[in-house]
Protein backbone atom coordinates (compact mmCIF):
# COMPACT_ATOMS: atom_id res chain seq x y z
CA UNK A 1 0.00 0.00 0.00
CA UNK A 2 1.75 3.15 -1.21
CA UNK A 3 0.48 6.41 0.20
CA UNK A 4 1.58 10.00 -0.24
CA UNK A 5 0.92 12.26 2.75
CA UNK A 6 -0.89 15.54 2.12
CA UNK A 7 1.46 18.02 0.50
CA UNK A 8 0.16 21.43 -0.48
CA UNK A 9 -2.69 21.13 -2.96
CA UNK A 10 -2.67 17.39 -3.62
CA UNK A 11 -2.44 13.94 -2.14
CA UNK A 12 -2.66 10.33 -3.28
CA UNK A 13 -4.03 7.32 -1.40
CA UNK A 14 -3.61 3.78 -2.74
CA UNK A 15 -5.28 0.64 -1.44
CA UNK A 16 -5.26 -2.94 -2.68
CA UNK A 17 -8.56 -4.72 -2.08
CA UNK A 18 -9.09 -8.46 -2.16
CA UNK A 19 -11.98 -8.05 -4.59
CA UNK A 20 -12.36 -8.06 -8.37
CA UNK A 21 -12.10 -4.73 -10.16
CA UNK A 22 -15.73 -4.86 -11.34
CA UNK A 23 -16.95 -5.11 -7.73
CA UNK A 24 -14.78 -2.20 -6.57
CA UNK A 25 -16.07 -0.17 -9.53
CA UNK A 26 -19.64 -1.00 -8.53
CA UNK A 27 -18.91 0.03 -4.95
CA UNK A 28 -18.08 3.50 -6.32
CA UNK A 29 -20.85 3.80 -8.91
CA UNK A 30 -23.94 2.02 -7.53
CA UNK A 31 -25.83 4.10 -4.94
CA UNK A 32 -26.77 0.95 -2.98
CA UNK A 33 -23.07 0.23 -2.46
CA UNK A 34 -22.00 3.87 -2.01
CA UNK A 35 -24.42 4.22 0.91
CA UNK A 36 -22.65 1.41 2.76
CA UNK A 37 -19.19 3.04 2.91
CA UNK A 38 -18.98 6.60 1.62
CA UNK A 39 -17.89 9.21 4.15
CA UNK A 40 -15.18 9.29 6.79
CA UNK A 41 -15.40 7.03 9.82
CA UNK A 42 -18.08 8.46 12.10
CA UNK A 43 -20.33 9.44 9.18
CA UNK A 44 -23.10 7.69 7.31
CA UNK A 45 -24.49 8.46 3.87
CA UNK A 46 -28.18 7.54 3.69
CA UNK A 47 -29.18 5.84 0.44
CA UNK A 48 -32.10 8.26 0.11
CA UNK A 49 -29.65 11.17 -0.30
CA UNK A 50 -27.65 9.67 -3.17
CA UNK A 51 -28.26 10.45 -6.82
CA UNK A 52 -25.75 9.37 -9.45
CA UNK A 53 -25.58 9.74 -13.23
CA UNK A 54 -22.29 7.93 -13.84
CA UNK A 55 -21.24 9.09 -17.31
CA UNK A 56 -18.96 11.77 -18.65
CA UNK A 57 -20.85 15.01 -18.03
CA UNK A 58 -23.14 13.34 -15.49
CA UNK A 59 -23.29 14.34 -11.86
CA UNK A 60 -23.75 12.98 -8.36
CA UNK A 61 -25.04 14.31 -5.07
CA UNK A 62 -25.14 12.85 -1.58
CA UNK A 63 -25.37 13.87 2.06
CA UNK A 64 -22.90 12.67 4.66
CA UNK A 65 -24.35 12.76 8.19
CA UNK A 66 -22.21 12.91 11.34
CA UNK A 67 -23.09 9.98 13.57
CA UNK A 68 -22.52 11.93 16.80
CA UNK A 69 -24.60 15.07 16.23
CA UNK A 70 -26.52 14.52 12.99
CA UNK A 71 -24.88 17.48 11.25
CA UNK A 72 -25.24 17.17 7.49
CA UNK A 73 -22.46 17.65 4.93
CA UNK A 74 -23.60 17.80 1.32
CA UNK A 75 -21.23 16.65 -1.42
CA UNK A 76 -21.43 16.35 -5.15
CA UNK A 77 -19.75 16.95 -8.42
CA UNK A 78 -19.62 16.48 -12.17
CA UNK A 79 -17.97 13.50 -13.82
CA UNK A 80 -15.25 14.65 -16.22
CA UNK A 81 -14.21 11.11 -17.24
CA UNK A 82 -15.88 7.74 -16.83
CA UNK A 83 -14.03 4.72 -18.21
CA UNK A 84 -15.68 1.61 -16.78
CA UNK A 85 -14.16 -0.20 -14.89
CA UNK A 86 -10.82 1.63 -14.98
CA UNK A 87 -11.16 5.32 -14.17
CA UNK A 88 -13.43 7.93 -12.60
CA UNK A 89 -12.62 11.64 -12.61
CA UNK A 90 -14.85 14.29 -11.12
CA UNK A 91 -14.77 17.94 -10.19
CA UNK A 92 -16.33 18.92 -6.88
CA UNK A 93 -19.34 21.20 -7.22
CA UNK A 94 -18.46 23.44 -4.26
CA UNK A 95 -14.68 23.73 -3.99
CA UNK A 96 -11.66 23.83 -6.28
CA UNK A 97 -11.10 20.07 -6.17
CA UNK A 98 -10.61 17.36 -8.80
CA UNK A 99 -10.57 13.69 -7.86
CA UNK A 100 -9.16 10.91 -10.04
CA UNK A 101 -9.75 7.29 -9.01
CA UNK A 102 -8.18 4.45 -10.97
CA UNK A 103 -8.89 0.75 -10.63
CA UNK A 104 -6.19 -1.72 -11.69
CA UNK A 105 -6.68 -5.49 -11.84
CA UNK A 106 -3.82 -7.21 -10.01
CA UNK A 107 -4.52 -10.90 -10.39
CA UNK A 108 -8.14 -10.86 -9.19
CA UNK A 109 -7.46 -8.18 -6.59
CA UNK A 110 -7.89 -4.46 -7.23
CA UNK A 111 -5.45 -1.65 -6.72
CA UNK A 112 -7.41 1.54 -6.23
CA UNK A 113 -5.54 4.84 -6.43
CA UNK A 114 -7.24 8.10 -5.50
CA UNK A 115 -5.49 11.34 -6.44
CA UNK A 116 -6.97 14.57 -5.07
CA UNK A 117 -5.87 17.96 -6.46
CA UNK A 118 -6.99 21.46 -5.50
CA UNK A 119 -8.29 22.78 -2.20
CA UNK A 120 -7.71 19.43 -0.49
CA UNK A 121 -8.35 20.42 3.11
CA UNK A 122 -4.89 19.19 4.12
CA UNK A 123 -4.20 16.56 6.75
CA UNK A 124 -7.74 16.48 8.13
CA UNK A 125 -9.21 15.73 4.71
CA UNK A 126 -6.48 13.18 4.00
CA UNK A 127 -7.35 11.37 7.24
CA UNK A 128 -11.07 11.45 6.34
CA UNK A 129 -10.48 9.99 2.88
CA UNK A 130 -8.17 7.37 4.38
CA UNK A 131 -10.76 6.18 6.92
CA UNK A 132 -13.39 6.17 4.19
CA UNK A 133 -11.22 3.80 2.15
CA UNK A 134 -10.76 1.64 5.25
CA UNK A 135 -14.57 1.38 5.42
CA UNK A 136 -14.64 0.41 1.74
CA UNK A 137 -12.11 -2.33 2.47
CA UNK A 138 -14.27 -3.66 5.31
CA UNK A 139 -17.28 -3.75 2.99
CA UNK A 140 -15.34 -5.61 0.28
CA UNK A 141 -13.80 -8.12 2.71
Amino acid sequence: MAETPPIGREFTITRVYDAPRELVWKAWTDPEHVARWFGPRGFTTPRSTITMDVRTGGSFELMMVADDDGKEYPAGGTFLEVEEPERLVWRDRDVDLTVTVTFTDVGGRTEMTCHVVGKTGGAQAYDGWSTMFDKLGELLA
Side-chain angles (χ1 to χ4, degrees):
M1 168 183 350
E3 294 193 26
T4 304
I7 300 172
R9 292 182 47 87
E10 67 184 287
F11 62 80
T12 301
I13 300 174
T14 300
R15 296 279 194 274
V16 176
Y17 296 117
D18 191 16
R21 180 168 65 168
E22 290 74 17
L23 179 58
V24 181
W25 173 267
K26 191 172 184 177
W28 274 90
T29 59
D30 179 331
E32 297 296 329
H33 289 272
V34 172
R36 296 173 60 196
W37 69 272
F38 197 90
R41 196 161 307 279
F43 287 78
T44 56
T45 302
R47 168 61 186 96
S48 62
T49 70
I50 302 170
T51 60
M52 300 183 84
D53 180 9
V54 184
R55 62 178 175 81
T56 300
S59 64
F60 71 95
E61 292 190 25
L62 53 83
M63 183 72 68
M64 295 177 288
V65 180
D67 295 341
D68 59 355
D69 64 6
K71 187 170 179 183
E72 296 181 337
Y73 298 86
T78 300
F79 291 107
L80 305 176
E81 295 178 47
V82 176
E83 298 175 29
E84 183 177 352
E86 300 170 4
R87 182 178 170 92
L88 284 173
V89 181
W90 75 86
R91 180 149 185 89
D92 191 276
R93 69 170 184 207
D94 296 323
V95 295
D96 170 26
L97 192 72
T98 301
V99 179
T100 301
V101 185
T102 58
F103 308 89
T104 305
D105 182 357
V106 286
R109 301 174 78 204
T110 304
E111 180 181 86
M112 182 204 76
T113 301
C114 179
H115 185 72
V116 180
V117 178
K119 189 175 179 181
T120 66
Q124 182 179 5
Y126 177 87
D127 291 344
W129 284 85
S130 188
T131 66
M132 181 168 69
F133 297 150
D134 292 344
K135 289 170 53 179
L136 176 57
E138 293 161 10
L139 172 65
L140 294 169

